[in-house]
Amino acid sequence: MYGTPSSSAPLLWRSIGVALLGALLSACASMPQSPSEAPSATTSAPATMSTPEISQAQEGDRLLARGQDLAAAKAYIQAAAASGEEKQLDYLLKAAQASLEGKRPQVAELLSAEVLRLTHEPSQRASALWIQAQAYLHDGQNKLARGSFAELLSTSGVATGRRAEVMEQLAKIYEGENHDLTALDFLVKRDALLSGPEKEKNRQQIHALLDAQSAAKLKNWQGRSGDPIVQEWLAFALIARDHADPGSREAAFAAWLQAHPGHPDIHYEHHSATAVTSAARGAICTLLPTTGRFADDTLAFVAGLRAAAQQQSGPVVQELSDTSDPALNATEYASGVEAGCKAFVGPALPQDIRAVLGARHPSDPPILLLGNPGSHVPAGVHDFDISLRVTARRVAEDAYQAGYRQAAVLYPLDAEGANLQAAFLQMWKGLGGAVAGVAHYRAGDGATAVREAVGPSLGRRAFVFLVASPADLSAIVTAIRARSARPILLAGIPSFGAEHTGGLADARTYALGMPWVFDPNIANGPAAQAVKQSLPQATAKQWRMAGLGVEAYGLLAQILGASASAQDSAGAMGISSPPEHDGKRRLRWVSWQDGVMQVLPQLPEP
């Protein structure tokens, strides 16, 4: 499969090496270097060096020590070309590593591949495979990296620490590809190679991966995994979800081990998902996803909660890990009540809301749901629906109340746009409003849609309901204005702040949204600054979620009968009353006058 060096290898290598040397030196030379990367003009080999090979190798060592990785790689390649058979591969491996550190993964790939082609020696192959896999990862070729890592695991003589590193890398790759069971398999195998803090960290990764799965998926995995230790982890994860009480849980673990002789006790110590510590007493506890697709939203929302808690000197915020498994949510909620949580925020998804409400007792602390609880809402349960669909429905309500009776609807051809226009139309038609036209548009091309929706029949009490991204806003408004002077009402898109309106100067364009996003006094206030420190790279969506967290904390402060100072602070954020069961929050209208955003007390009449 691979060429084996023979007695003619030096000559053969010199012919191959010259061609490879030229290609690789050219590749290295094409990489721009900072002044610190360039070889020093005064650097030369000491007079005691007797061969070009030694001279180039020691030059590579010096350059590498200075952080001049690419220059070092060139020196090592030249040393390999000048050397005999014994040292060639070692120099190539050094060159490959230096190329990798110099952010030239393609060169590292070529060099490591040449080493693999020329040798069967296990330690050299292991080094080459490790470098090759890292180069593939840097180059975004995860599948090729996966193959190199797998071959490395099958190579004899690989150190235990390196095997553990390989298994961790493979687990990350497979988890990124949504092959979570395979990722779990590698983490469990890795666990047997570790001890001390590294073992504890690896077990945290195992628990996080298990927490991110539903109970149904864990049961399915039990039948698919052939590893008995993986099966044991799965069984213990399911037992932990069914037994919130620590004593009951330990007894169930012991019973399982007794029923399965030969299995080791894996010491399933895990407290983040199923056991609530004393830190929850008197805290506002969250029931929100900390893993999976909603993890970034939760991070931002909790940052807003904690910023508000700090500003108001109110109850601290304690996260109860949630993986959107309804049964686990109910267990966590019950544990939080027992531990003394003062109030709860979340969950948000319908199935989780049903599970938590099913476990709730009338005497339990208040709970602020982030989704619609349905028609029957028990006492102590408050609706704080955070979806943009709520904003779209409020546009319809406020417009009808202000005296508008006809609407033209424009929305982008994507899932969010379709949801917003559907929510608006359902509410608008239910109120008795008329629809002049409905049209969708593609990004960058809204003129045709404007002609379809905004016809000559718009009456005096008409408006245009527009869903638009910041990138499309200015062009769409310009196209609408070419056909109609009627007001434009925007749904509360999270990134519509003063800096994202593209120089919008039309005072007849209004947007309904959160004070956090629109009011400069609030957006630059102490709570906002605290959030910016904890989320310096927040996206527009995360910024909106953080604002919702600030609002939610203010509302909970009022629900809990907080002090007058806390109520004043909440009022300064644009919150006037506790949330109602129908999910109405106080949202503000804004307009732009000569590009300057102005907060309005209400939507102006037609």
Side-chain angles (χ1 to χ4, degrees), residues 444-573:
D445 182 20
T448 302
V450 170
R451 288 196 298 271
E452 292 178 7
V454 185
S457 60
L458 286 182
R460 184 177 62 84
R461 294 195 294 172
F463 67 94
V464 178
F465 174 74
L466 173 61
V467 180
S469 69
D472 293 316
L473 178 60
S474 181
I476 294 289
V477 169
T478 299
I480 293 172
R481 285 289 168 251
R483 302 187 63 83
S484 174
R486 297 300 173 208
I488 300 171
L489 275 54
L490 299 171
I493 305 301
S495 57
F496 279 167
E499 71 277 20
H500 293 108
T501 54
L504 187 66
D506 190 339
R508 295 158 298 167
T509 300
Y510 307 101
L512 179 69
M514 301 159 45
W516 175 274
V517 176
F518 290 135
D519 191 328
N521 294 323
I522 297 168
N524 296 318
Q529 294 302 323
V531 171
K532 287 176 182 177
Q533 290 180 2
S534 59
L535 296 172
Q537 303 297 324
T539 62
K541 184 180 181 183
Q542 284 184 305
W543 184 242
R544 174 180 181 267
M545 291 300 297
L548 287 167
V550 173
E551 284 196 48
Y553 193 93
L555 292 169
L556 278 170
Q558 295 185 35
I559 292 169
L560 293 169
S563 65
S565 62
Q567 290 179 0
D568 292 342
S569 178
M573 294 177 195

